[in-house]
Amino acid sequence: MFVAASTRCFSELDFWQALTLINDLEYDKVEIYLDENGALKPSYLASSPDEFHAHLRDRTRLTPVALTLANAIELKPFTELCKLAKALRVTQINIPSEVVGTPFNSEIDRLKTLVAAASKEGVRVAIRTERGRLSEDAHTAVELCQSVDGLGLGFDPSYFLGEEKFETTLELVTGYTSHVFLRDSTEKQLQVQVGLGEVDYARLISQLEKHRYDRALSVELLPDEMDKEQRTLELRKLRMLIDSLL
């Protein structure tokens, strides 16, 4: 396992400025957050992959470990992103599942198509667990992984807090987890200062180790929940905390 930081932490800033801040905070790995309404658009990467690749190589020493999509995109640009991921030596793309109410079988068909496209480039697809989507229920998320060969989970423990719920969810999802999103949270508040929340990082890491998880623990702070100066402090604290547990 290794620690990374998501550019979503500073998504209100220019993408390259966000990379500089993450590097200054002594991270060496980065998860690249893509949002059509944000600092780095998936449509730009899909249409100009060589340009982006060259800029990334020239402008930062950070190692990209995953691409994460804020919203679903069409198959053609998704395929181009998979090709870019291969060129960047990134083996993970995290995508949202469809919204609650979407027929289960239609979501399986969509995910099978995306996983097949990504596997041609040696890239793994994971659906991230988040509210308002099919993956908000851990059992449904696991059922999707069981129904789509090669699909993984981008597990965000902040949505599954409460001692009994957290333990049950950990046991259920860690065997399918291929990416982890981290911040400190409580049952009632999605993001709080490190040390004031209920995320049991030691328990999480121990459970992941049982399944020989060897991928990213990616710090993803939500910019709307705290100002930039506080985020930089929390990023540093969370990196040091996770490093101490690995």
Side-chain angles (χ1 to χ4, degrees):
M1 279 179 272
F2 52 85
V3 184
S6 170
T7 57
R8 187 182 187 184
C9 299
F10 301 109
S11 57
E12 81 280 17
L13 304 178
D14 173 79
F15 172 75
W16 305 106
Q17 186 180 359
L19 291 186
T20 298
L21 283 171
I22 290 169
N23 183 73
D24 289 346
L25 291 167
E26 299 182 14
Y27 286 83
D28 59 1
K29 296 178 177 61
V30 64
E31 170 203 329
I32 297 174
Y33 186 72
L34 304 176
D35 184 353
E36 206 59 44
N37 297 312
L40 189 61
K41 304 179 188 304
S43 59
Y44 162 66
L45 264 64
S47 62
S48 307
D50 293 339
E51 179 181 44
F52 176 77
H53 189 185
H55 284 331
L56 189 68
R57 183 179 61 243
D58 292 342
R59 298 183 65 168
T60 185
R61 294 177 295 174
L62 291 168
T63 301
V65 296
L67 305 180
T68 296
L69 289 164
N71 297 291
I73 61 174
E74 297 297 321
L75 178 60
K76 185 175 180 180
F78 178 80
T79 301
E80 293 303 316
L81 287 182
C82 291
K83 293 178 180 176
L84 172 62
K86 181 179 181 179
L88 294 172
R89 298 182 180 179
V90 167
T91 59
Q92 178 83 18
I93 293 183
N94 305 305
I95 64 172
S97 59
E98 289 289 6
V99 297
V100 171
T102 301
F104 189 79
N105 287 338
S106 67
E107 176 66 339
I108 288 174
D109 291 341
R110 182 184 77 96
L111 293 172
K112 282 183 176 178
T113 300
L114 297 177
V115 169
S119 64
K120 292 178 182 178
E121 306 300 333
V123 176
R124 180 162 189 172
V125 177
I127 50 171
R128 65 176 300 166
T129 55
E130 55 187 329
R131 285 193 193 121
R133 298 189 178 271
L134 293 174
S135 59
E136 73 174 9
D137 178 78
H139 287 88
T140 301
V142 168
E143 286 176 9
L144 287 169
C145 291
Q146 292 171 338
S147 301
V148 181
D149 188 36
L151 180 68
L153 282 183
F155 178 50
D156 189 333
S158 293
Y159 296 105
F160 302 98
L161 295 178
E163 184 173 349
E164 183 176 345
K165 186 177 183 181
F166 186 68
E167 288 292 324
T168 302
T169 301
L170 272 184
E171 292 178 5
L172 179 65
V173 306
T174 44
Y176 299 92
T177 298
S178 59
H179 193 84
V180 177
F181 301 92
L182 287 180
R183 70 191 69 79
D184 215 351
S185 310
T186 67
E187 282 189 79
K188 296 182 178 180
Q189 194 169 348
L190 188 57
Q191 183 166 287
V192 297
Q193 293 181 29
V194 176
L196 300 181
E198 301 167 3
V199 178
D200 188 341
Y201 300 102
R203 179 74 183 90
L204 171 64
I205 290 171
S206 175
Q207 185 68 18
L208 290 168
E209 286 176 340
K210 289 181 181 179
H211 291 272
R212 298 182 181 180
Y213 181 82
D214 61 355
R215 303 173 76 89
L217 302 171
S218 185
V219 178
E220 185 194 68
L221 301 185
L222 306 176
D224 293 340
E225 300 291 328
M226 59 178 62
D227 62 33
K228 182 166 70 72
E229 287 71 23
Q230 190 176 9
R231 266 175 280 154
T232 57
L233 176 61
E234 294 300 301
L235 272 161
R236 190 183 301 276
K237 287 162 60 179
L238 200 43
R239 177 186 58 75
M240 294 174 66
L241 172 61
I242 298 169
D243 276 341
S244 72
L245 296 171
L246 293 179

Tab-separated table of all heavy atoms in Angstrom, residues 35 52 69 81 116 150 160 165 218 244:
chain	number	residue	atom	x	y	z
A	35	ASP	N	-13.187	16.326	-14.152
A	35	ASP	CA	-14.551	16.839	-14.039
A	35	ASP	C	-14.783	17.819	-15.180
A	35	ASP	O	-14.029	18.777	-15.345
A	35	ASP	CB	-14.733	17.531	-12.685
A	35	ASP	CG	-16.154	18.002	-12.432
A	35	ASP	OD1	-16.994	17.929	-13.347
A	35	ASP	OD2	-16.427	18.448	-11.304
A	52	PHE	N	-1.217	16.501	-23.080
A	52	PHE	CA	-1.284	16.387	-21.630
A	52	PHE	C	-0.132	15.547	-21.091
A	52	PHE	O	0.494	15.907	-20.094
A	52	PHE	CB	-2.619	15.767	-21.201
A	52	PHE	CG	-2.702	15.532	-19.718
A	52	PHE	CD1	-2.935	16.585	-18.852
A	52	PHE	CD2	-2.528	14.259	-19.193
A	52	PHE	CE1	-2.992	16.380	-17.476
A	52	PHE	CE2	-2.585	14.043	-17.823
A	52	PHE	CZ	-2.816	15.108	-16.965
A	69	LEU	N	-13.083	9.814	-12.468
A	69	LEU	CA	-14.076	10.597	-13.187
A	69	LEU	C	-15.179	11.045	-12.241
A	69	LEU	O	-15.751	10.226	-11.508
A	69	LEU	CB	-14.680	9.778	-14.323
A	69	LEU	CG	-13.755	9.498	-15.505
A	69	LEU	CD1	-14.301	8.369	-16.361
A	69	LEU	CD2	-13.598	10.759	-16.350
A	81	LEU	N	-9.268	7.780	-22.813
A	81	LEU	CA	-8.675	7.942	-21.482
A	81	LEU	C	-7.923	6.687	-21.061
A	81	LEU	O	-6.871	6.768	-20.422
A	81	LEU	CB	-9.753	8.264	-20.454
A	81	LEU	CG	-10.367	9.660	-20.485
A	81	LEU	CD1	-11.390	9.807	-19.359
A	81	LEU	CD2	-9.307	10.745	-20.374
A	116	ALA	N	-14.511	-3.985	-20.540
A	116	ALA	CA	-13.920	-4.618	-21.721
A	116	ALA	C	-13.006	-3.645	-22.464
A	116	ALA	O	-11.911	-4.019	-22.903
A	116	ALA	CB	-15.026	-5.118	-22.647
A	150	GLY	N	-13.848	-8.587	-13.525
A	150	GLY	CA	-12.767	-7.601	-13.613
A	150	GLY	C	-13.097	-6.255	-13.011
A	150	GLY	O	-12.216	-5.391	-12.896
A	160	PHE	N	-19.819	4.874	5.305
A	160	PHE	CA	-20.237	3.643	5.967
A	160	PHE	C	-19.851	3.630	7.449
A	160	PHE	O	-19.461	2.605	7.979
A	160	PHE	CB	-19.621	2.438	5.257
A	160	PHE	CG	-19.977	2.350	3.806
A	160	PHE	CD1	-19.104	2.823	2.834
A	160	PHE	CD2	-21.195	1.819	3.407
A	160	PHE	CE1	-19.432	2.762	1.491
A	160	PHE	CE2	-21.530	1.743	2.058
A	160	PHE	CZ	-20.655	2.219	1.103
A	165	LYS	N	-21.720	-0.964	11.379
A	165	LYS	CA	-21.810	-0.816	9.928
A	165	LYS	C	-20.428	-0.817	9.295
A	165	LYS	O	-20.205	-1.434	8.246
A	165	LYS	CB	-22.547	0.484	9.591
A	165	LYS	CG	-22.829	0.674	8.107
A	165	LYS	CD	-23.633	1.941	7.880
A	165	LYS	CE	-23.980	2.102	6.398
A	165	LYS	NZ	-24.741	3.344	6.153
A	218	SER	N	-5.766	6.930	-1.113
A	218	SER	CA	-5.730	8.262	-1.707
A	218	SER	C	-6.505	9.261	-0.854
A	218	SER	O	-7.709	9.105	-0.635
A	218	SER	CB	-6.329	8.206	-3.124
A	218	SER	OG	-6.210	9.459	-3.759
A	244	SER	N	2.469	6.416	9.194
A	244	SER	CA	2.840	5.807	10.469
A	244	SER	C	2.194	4.428	10.657
A	244	SER	O	2.664	3.623	11.454
A	244	SER	CB	2.448	6.723	11.642
A	244	SER	OG	1.044	6.740	11.826
